[in-house]
Amino acid sequence: VGQWMLTAQENALFSLVDQECTTVLDVGGGHGQIAIPLAQTERSVTVLGSSPVCAARLSSQIEQGTVSFQSGNLLELPYDNKSFDLTTSFRLLSHCVAWRQLVAELCRVSEHAVIIDYPVWFSVNILTPLLFSLKRAIEGNTRTYRMFSTWELSQEFRKHGFKLEKSEKLFVWPMALH
């Protein structure tokens, strides 16, 4: 099931990535779910993790030179404006209290596009407040998370010069049920 989910995520990602996006910053991507597939398409991929330990899953790619890694503040990205063609951030936004600051930083360092994932309110997620304890019992290590409306995020990105051009809807059920 885990491999199926990663494949679905990867397919969605590549349906959104433009070919001209050759330099990529993956913020919070120490898990490698986005960085590794992007690097396999001969893009220059940098992962920014919150701590050096986040590089562990990427160690072979770092050693091979297919991915570079840096640790730093995810809310104050240590890069100049428009340093990358594309910024990505998966599995982070919904857990970030300062999500508006994260969006601003993703936009600031991107020249062309930003790709994120997020749980939407207008789905089965609307039941999350009622079913969170069950989700935690099934998954064991579930953290609380925030849900968004697409409109809300579109407005925030618009403040920073980006507009929603494409979206891919993925998982209907909570991850634990898949």
Side-chain angles (χ1 to χ4, degrees), residues 3-152:
Q3 186 57 51
W4 170 80
M5 293 170 103
L6 291 175
T7 300
Q9 177 179 277
E10 187 177 320
N11 291 340
L13 171 69
F14 283 113
S15 75
L16 299 171
V17 175
D18 290 335
Q19 291 304 317
E20 63 263 18
C21 291
T22 59
T23 59
V24 181
L25 173 64
D26 187 14
V27 178
H31 45 66
Q33 294 176 0
I34 300 304
I36 294 169
L38 285 168
Q40 290 170 342
T41 62
E42 299 185 17
R43 288 177 168 86
S44 172
V45 179
T46 301
V47 174
L48 179 70
S50 58
S51 164
V53 74
C54 297
R57 288 189 182 171
L58 297 167
S59 60
S60 64
Q61 287 78 21
I62 295 166
E63 289 170 14
Q64 295 168 12
T66 58
V67 170
S68 62
F69 179 85
Q70 185 174 356
S71 62
N73 186 336
L74 304 184
L75 297 175
E76 294 177 13
L77 303 180
Y79 306 104
D80 292 333
N81 295 350
K82 301 186 183 316
S83 294
F84 299 89
D85 297 326
L86 168 67
T87 57
T88 63
S89 186
F90 280 50
R91 306 291 181 266
L92 179 61
L93 187 70
S94 62
H95 299 291
C96 184
V97 174
W99 67 271
R100 284 183 172 88
Q101 185 176 349
L102 176 60
V103 167
E105 284 293 283
L106 293 171
C107 294
R108 181 183 66 77
V109 301
S110 180
E111 173 74 28
H112 182 70
V114 178
I115 299 176
I116 60 168
D117 76 332
Y118 61 95
V120 294
W121 267 112
F122 304 110
S123 67
V124 174
N125 286 327
I126 203 154
L127 301 175
T128 294
L130 300 172
L131 300 175
F132 186 76
S133 59
L134 176 61
K135 179 176 169 55
R136 179 168 274 161
I138 293 169
E139 293 180 346
N141 64 348
T142 298
R143 297 177 288 156
T144 57
Y145 59 95
R146 184 186 194 290
M147 291 172 281
F148 298 90
S149 71
T150 300
W151 181 86
E152 172 183 38

